[in-house]
Amino acid sequence: MDEYAFKTIIDKNSNTILGAHLIEPHCEETINLFAMAIKTKMTISDLRTMIFSYPTMVSDLTYML
């Protein structure tokens, strides 16, 4: 698997994502999910309970929160 780096900015008061930085070869799938979560104000708990296809970069999302 390719190496990647990420930084997730979380509002601890509202338990929502404020921003995310991703560096990886094929990050468009994951960044779109972060954008949707930010736009809809999904909580971290909501994202952690979702089931993602595996093996994909999006399946690593729960480790990025």
Side-chain angles (χ1 to χ4, degrees):
M1 176 180 261
D2 296 325
E3 293 183 24
Y4 63 96
F6 65 89
K7 178 170 64 171
T8 309
I9 304 166
I10 298 172
D11 181 340
K12 293 190 180 206
N13 293 326
S14 65
N15 202 29
T16 57
I17 299 170
L18 299 175
H21 299 269
L22 299 170
I23 301 171
E24 64 172 290
H26 304 286
C27 66
E28 55 278 339
E29 175 185 359
T30 309
I31 201 65
N32 283 334
L33 188 60
F34 272 113
M36 181 202 61
I38 292 167
K39 177 79 173 168
T40 62
K41 298 183 184 344
M42 290 179 74
T43 66
I44 302 303
S45 300
D46 292 337
L47 286 167
R48 285 192 174 141
T49 59
M50 294 179 73
I51 299 171
F52 301 106
S53 58
Y54 182 84
T56 63
M57 290 308 296
V58 171
S59 66
D60 286 346
L61 183 87
T62 54
Y63 302 108
M64 297 179 190
L65 304 173

